[in-house]
Coordinates of all heavy atoms in Angstrom, one line a residue:
R366 N -13.9 9.0 2.7 CA -14.3 7.8 3.3 C -13.1 7.2 4.1 O -11.9 7.6 4.0 CB -14.6 6.7 2.2 CG -15.7 7.2 1.3 CD -16.4 6.1 0.6 NE -17.4 6.5 -0.4 CZ -18.2 5.7 -1.0 NH1 -18.2 4.4 -0.8 NH2 -19.1 6.1 -1.9
N367 N -13.4 6.3 5.0 CA -12.4 5.6 5.8 C -11.8 4.5 5.0 O -12.4 3.4 4.7 CB -13.1 5.0 7.1 CG -12.1 4.4 8.0 OD1 -10.9 4.3 7.7 ND2 -12.6 3.8 9.1
L368 N -10.6 4.6 4.6 CA -9.9 3.7 3.7 C -9.6 2.4 4.4 O -9.3 1.4 3.7 CB -8.6 4.3 3.1 CG -8.8 5.5 2.3 CD1 -7.5 5.9 1.6 CD2 -9.9 5.3 1.2
E369 N -9.8 2.3 5.7 CA -9.6 1.0 6.4 C -10.7 0.1 6.1 O -10.6 -1.1 6.4 CB -9.4 1.3 7.9 CG -8.2 2.0 8.3 CD -8.0 2.3 9.8 OE1 -9.0 1.8 10.5 OE2 -7.0 2.8 10.2
K370 N -11.8 0.6 5.6 CA -13.0 -0.2 5.3 C -13.2 -0.3 3.8 O -14.4 -0.4 3.3 CB -14.2 0.3 6.0 CG -14.1 0.3 7.5 CD -15.4 0.8 8.1 CE -15.3 0.8 9.7 NZ -16.6 1.3 10.3
I371 N -12.2 -0.2 3.0 CA -12.3 -0.1 1.6 C -12.9 -1.3 1.0 O -13.6 -1.3 -0.1 CB -11.0 0.2 0.9 CG1 -11.2 0.8 -0.5 CG2 -10.0 -1.0 0.9 CD1 -10.0 1.4 -1.1
E372 N -12.8 -2.5 1.6 CA -13.4 -3.7 1.1 C -14.9 -3.6 1.1 O -15.6 -4.4 0.4 CB -13.0 -4.9 1.9 CG -13.5 -5.0 3.3 CD -12.6 -4.2 4.3 OE1 -11.6 -3.5 3.8 OE2 -13.0 -4.2 5.5
E373 N -15.5 -2.6 1.8 CA -16.9 -2.5 1.9 C -17.5 -1.5 0.8 O -18.7 -1.4 0.6 CB -17.4 -1.9 3.3 CG -17.0 -2.8 4.4 CD -17.3 -2.2 5.8 OE1 -17.9 -1.1 5.8 OE2 -16.9 -2.8 6.8
F374 N -16.6 -0.9 0.1 CA -17.0 0.1 -0.9 C -17.3 -0.5 -2.2 O -16.7 -0.2 -3.3 CB -15.9 1.2 -1.0 CG -15.5 1.9 0.2 CD1 -14.3 2.5 0.4 CD2 -16.4 1.9 1.3 CE1 -13.9 3.2 1.5 CE2 -16.0 2.6 2.5 CZ -14.8 3.2 2.6
E375 N -18.3 -1.3 -2.3 CA -18.7 -2.0 -3.5 C -19.2 -1.0 -4.5 O -19.1 -1.2 -5.8 CB -19.7 -3.0 -3.2 CG -19.9 -4.1 -4.3 CD -18.7 -5.0 -4.5 OE1 -18.0 -5.2 -3.5 OE2 -18.4 -5.4 -5.6
D376 N -19.7 0.1 -4.1 CA -20.2 1.1 -5.0 C -19.1 1.9 -5.8 O -19.4 2.5 -6.8 CB -21.1 2.1 -4.3 CG -20.3 2.9 -3.2 OD1 -19.6 2.2 -2.5 OD2 -20.4 4.1 -3.1
L377 N -17.9 1.7 -5.3 CA -16.7 2.4 -6.0 C -16.1 1.4 -7.0 O -15.3 1.9 -7.8 CB -15.7 2.8 -5.0 CG -16.1 3.8 -3.9 CD1 -14.9 4.2 -3.1 CD2 -16.8 5.0 -4.5
M378 N -16.4 0.2 -7.0 CA -15.7 -0.8 -7.9 C -16.1 -0.5 -9.3 O -17.2 -0.1 -9.6 CB -16.0 -2.2 -7.5 CG -15.5 -2.6 -6.1 SD -13.7 -2.4 -6.0 CE -13.5 -2.4 -4.2
P379 N -15.2 -0.8 -10.3 CA -15.5 -0.5 -11.7 C -16.6 -1.3 -12.3 O -17.1 -0.9 -13.4 CB -14.1 -0.7 -12.4 CG -13.4 -1.6 -11.5 CD -13.8 -1.3 -10.1
W380 N -17.0 -2.4 -11.7 CA -18.1 -3.2 -12.2 C -19.4 -2.8 -11.5 O -20.4 -3.4 -11.7 CB -17.8 -4.7 -12.0 CG -17.3 -5.0 -10.6 CD1 -18.1 -5.2 -9.5 CD2 -15.9 -5.1 -10.2 NE1 -17.2 -5.5 -8.4 CE2 -15.9 -5.4 -8.8 CE3 -14.7 -5.0 -10.9 CZ2 -14.8 -5.6 -8.1 CZ3 -13.5 -5.2 -10.2 CH2 -13.6 -5.5 -8.8
S381 N -19.4 -1.8 -10.6 CA -20.6 -1.4 -9.9 C -21.6 -0.9 -10.9 O -21.3 -0.2 -11.8 CB -20.3 -0.4 -8.8 OG -21.4 0.1 -8.3
K382 N -22.9 -1.1 -10.6 CA -24.0 -0.6 -11.5 C -24.5 0.7 -11.0 O -25.4 1.3 -11.6 CB -25.1 -1.6 -11.5 CG -24.8 -3.0 -11.9 CD -24.2 -3.0 -13.3 CE -23.9 -4.4 -13.8 NZ -23.3 -4.5 -15.2
T383 N -23.9 1.2 -9.9 CA -24.3 2.5 -9.3 C -23.4 3.7 -9.6 O -23.5 4.7 -8.9 CB -24.6 2.3 -7.8 OG1 -23.4 2.0 -7.2 CG2 -25.7 1.3 -7.6
L384 N -22.4 3.5 -10.4 CA -21.5 4.6 -10.7 C -22.2 5.7 -11.4 O -23.3 5.5 -12.0 CB -20.3 4.1 -11.6 CG -19.4 3.0 -11.1 CD1 -18.4 2.6 -12.1 CD2 -18.6 3.6 -9.9
P385 N -21.7 6.9 -11.4 CA -22.3 8.0 -12.1 C -22.5 7.7 -13.6 O -21.6 7.0 -14.2 CB -21.3 9.2 -11.9 CG -20.6 8.9 -10.6 CD -20.5 7.4 -10.6
K386 N -23.5 8.2 -14.2 CA -23.8 7.8 -15.6 C -22.7 8.2 -16.6 O -22.5 7.5 -17.6 CB -25.1 8.5 -16.0 CG -26.4 7.9 -15.4 CD -27.6 8.6 -15.9 CE -28.9 8.0 -15.2 NZ -30.1 8.6 -15.7
N387 N -22.0 9.3 -16.3 CA -21.0 9.7 -17.2 C -19.7 8.7 -17.2 O -18.9 8.8 -18.1 CB -20.5 11.1 -17.0 CG -19.9 11.3 -15.6 OD1 -19.8 10.4 -14.8 ND2 -19.5 12.5 -15.3
C388 N -19.7 7.8 -16.2 CA -18.6 6.9 -16.2 C -18.7 5.8 -17.2 O -17.6 5.3 -17.7 CB -18.5 6.2 -14.8 SG -17.9 7.3 -13.5
Y389 N -19.9 5.5 -17.7 CA -20.1 4.4 -18.6 C -19.8 4.9 -20.0 O -20.3 5.9 -20.5 CB -21.5 3.8 -18.5 CG -21.8 3.3 -17.1 CD1 -22.5 4.0 -16.2 CD2 -21.3 2.0 -16.7 CE1 -22.7 3.6 -14.9 CE2 -21.6 1.5 -15.5 CZ -22.3 2.3 -14.6 OH -22.6 1.8 -13.3
I390 N -18.9 4.1 -20.7 CA -18.7 4.4 -22.1 C -20.0 4.1 -22.9 O -20.6 3.1 -22.7 CB -17.6 3.5 -22.7 CG1 -16.3 3.9 -21.9 CG2 -17.4 3.6 -24.2 CD1 -15.1 3.0 -22.3
Q391 N -20.4 5.0 -23.8 CA -21.7 4.9 -24.4 C -21.9 3.6 -25.1 O -23.0 3.0 -25.1 CB -21.8 6.1 -25.4 CG -21.8 7.4 -24.7 CD -21.7 8.6 -25.6 OE1 -21.6 8.4 -26.8 NE2 -21.8 9.8 -25.1
S392 N -20.9 3.1 -25.8 CA -21.1 1.8 -26.6 C -21.3 0.6 -25.7 O -21.7 -0.4 -26.1 CB -19.9 1.6 -27.5 OG -18.7 1.5 -26.7

């Protein structure tokens, strides 16, 4: 990705609901 537009990368933020499933701690 273009890091100059990183403020637009909401899907990468740790509170995003679209992260890969394995990112979420099961509990």
Side-chain angles (χ1 to χ4, degrees):
R366 305 199 185 191
N367 182 2
L368 297 186
E369 294 180 359
K370 298 181 179 180
I371 198 166
E372 68 278 359
E373 301 176 6
F374 300 159
E375 198 65 32
D376 61 315
L377 300 184
M378 297 300 163
W380 48 82
S381 172
K382 303 300 182 183
T383 60
L384 295 175
K386 290 183 179 180
N387 61 358
C388 286
Y389 299 97
I390 297 176
Q391 294 170 357
S392 59

